[in-house]
Amino acid sequence: MKNILVPTDFSEQAQFALDMAHAIALKTSAEVKLLNVLELPVDSSFDASGEITQSSDVNSVFAIQLMERVKTQLDELVKDPKFKDIKVTGDVVIGNPYVNISKVIADQDVDLVIMGTQGSSGLKEILVGSNTEKVVRRAKCPVITVKQAVNIESVKNIVFASDFRDDLAKLVEPLQKLQKVFDAKLHIVSVNTPSNFENSRYYKKAMETFVEKNNIKNYSLHVYAESGEEDGIIYFAEDINADMIAIATHGRSGFSHILSGSLAEDIVNHAKRPVWTFNIHN
């Protein structure tokens, strides 16, 4: 692992993400890249270097002042003495957060994104979604979302949930890297629901085939019955006091996303634990 990206808005949750990235960087010698994306008023125009390109008005003056303040704040964070033992860089860009985060992931060969999130629920979750959800859905590298402080030395039990109907070949290597970083046990679980019922022998065989084919080590296998997949994964993680949840996402967008939703995004929104996601269709 060489590059860890931490998008930040200087919130408490973003600080939790940065602290986790710092701890992982110490173990892997990775560089931490901080990114703040400013969404400015539509009538404020800047060129690629951040310079204003039209005559100053109230909004443009405000935008310049905001840009300078954020750059100063980010520079202070980069130079924080507690990060002196790793390489930390920071950048401020203007535009859409999801678009710019995706561009940095692609352009700078990011290996892992760690994002703080408050989660969402109700009408906001259905109609709007968050930039975090969009990154989780479409990022070309694994994403870890956190809602509270994480001591990575205590991350020793990771739940990996799947129904094993998808081709998980692309997920195996990053999942094993995750397990290695934390030196953790993988608790592999399939949730059996009334609407998508399979007998336990099917799930057991699918999981055994997965671990044998991919040489998975330090694991346990489970079938968990619950009314819905999301609740089953979250409840199982609670039952075994897991430290993290890992799950694949299909990266659906547009109309198909509205129709089918995303189990991974639901878990990110509602689970209290850190959630690791990986888009298996990238």
Side-chain angles (χ1 to χ4, degrees):
M1 187 179 300
K2 295 181 180 179
N3 297 308
I4 301 173
L5 175 64
V6 181
T8 182
D9 57 2
F10 309 107
S11 65
E12 183 181 36
Q13 287 76 23
Q15 186 61 50
F16 294 152
L18 176 55
D19 289 340
M20 186 179 191
H22 175 216
I24 293 176
L26 285 174
K27 296 187 70 171
T28 62
S29 300
E31 176 182 335
V32 174
K33 301 175 181 293
L34 283 169
L35 177 69
N36 179 275
V37 184
L38 284 176
E39 291 185 280
L40 296 178
V42 294
D43 55 347
S44 295
S45 180
F46 288 77
D47 64 20
S49 65
E51 297 296 328
I52 194 166
T53 59
Q54 63 182 45
S55 59
S56 296
D57 56 20
V58 173
N59 283 333
S60 296
V61 171
F62 167 77
I64 293 171
Q65 293 174 339
L66 178 61
M67 186 78 171
E68 291 175 349
R69 185 163 65 247
V70 170
K71 283 183 176 179
T72 298
Q73 193 172 0
L74 190 66
D75 189 55
E76 290 174 354
L77 194 56
V78 167
K79 294 178 180 178
D80 190 318
K82 73 177 180 180
F83 302 129
K84 67 180 184 301
D85 43 11
I86 65 170
K87 183 177 181 181
V88 182
T89 58
D91 196 15
V92 182
V93 296
I94 299 166
N96 176 274
Y98 163 69
V99 170
N100 281 278
I101 291 169
S102 298
K103 186 175 188 303
V104 171
I105 291 171
D107 292 350
Q108 300 189 28
D109 295 323
V110 171
D111 301 299
L112 174 67
V113 176
I114 305 180
M115 300 184 71
T117 179
Q118 294 180 335
S120 60
S121 59
L123 192 61
K124 177 182 177 183
E125 179 181 1
I126 295 170
L127 296 179
V128 181
S130 67
N131 288 303
T132 302
E133 291 171 6
K134 294 173 185 176
V135 174
V136 163
R137 189 188 315 155
R138 304 303 296 274
K140 298 181 180 298
C141 67
V143 179
I144 295 177
T145 53
V146 298
K147 294 186 175 78
Q148 53 194 6
V150 179
N151 176 5
I152 73 164
E153 297 303 324
S154 68
V155 179
K156 295 301 178 186
N157 293 284
I158 299 174
V159 168
F160 170 59
S162 177
D163 60 10
F164 297 96
R165 291 185 174 90
D166 295 305
D167 182 359
L168 300 176
K170 292 183 179 180
L171 173 140
V172 174
E173 183 179 354
L175 181 65
Q176 289 176 321
K177 287 181 179 178
L178 173 75
Q179 187 181 12
K180 183 178 180 181
V181 165
F182 294 105
D183 188 24
K185 183 174 182 178
L186 211 56
H187 299 267
I188 302 172
V189 62
S190 289
V191 177
N192 213 347
T193 67
S195 62
N196 199 19
F197 179 81
E198 288 283 0
N199 63 60
S200 295
R201 293 180 66 185
Y202 163 81
Y203 284 122
K204 184 179 179 182
K205 180 63 177 176
M207 288 187 285
E208 288 176 345
T209 299
F210 174 76
V211 298
E212 291 171 5
K213 178 180 179 181
N214 298 295
N215 196 29
I216 304 295
K217 305 294 185 183
N218 191 18
Y219 66 89
S220 62
L221 304 179
H222 308 267
V223 179
Y224 194 87
E226 186 51 63
S227 58
E229 282 185 281
E230 178 192 341
D231 285 345
I233 294 167
I234 291 175
Y235 293 160
F236 174 74
E238 290 176 355
D239 287 351
I240 69 166
N241 196 28
D243 306 300
M244 182 179 290
I245 296 172
I247 189 168
T249 177
H250 295 85
R252 297 187 183 99
S253 60
F255 192 59
S256 64
H257 175 69
I258 295 171
L259 288 177
S260 60
S262 169
L263 177 61
E265 290 170 45
D266 290 341
I267 297 291
V268 166
N269 275 326
H270 303 142
K272 297 177 181 178
R273 291 160 172 77
V275 180
W276 177 95
T277 56
F278 182 78
N279 184 343
I280 57 176
H281 293 315
N282 275 327

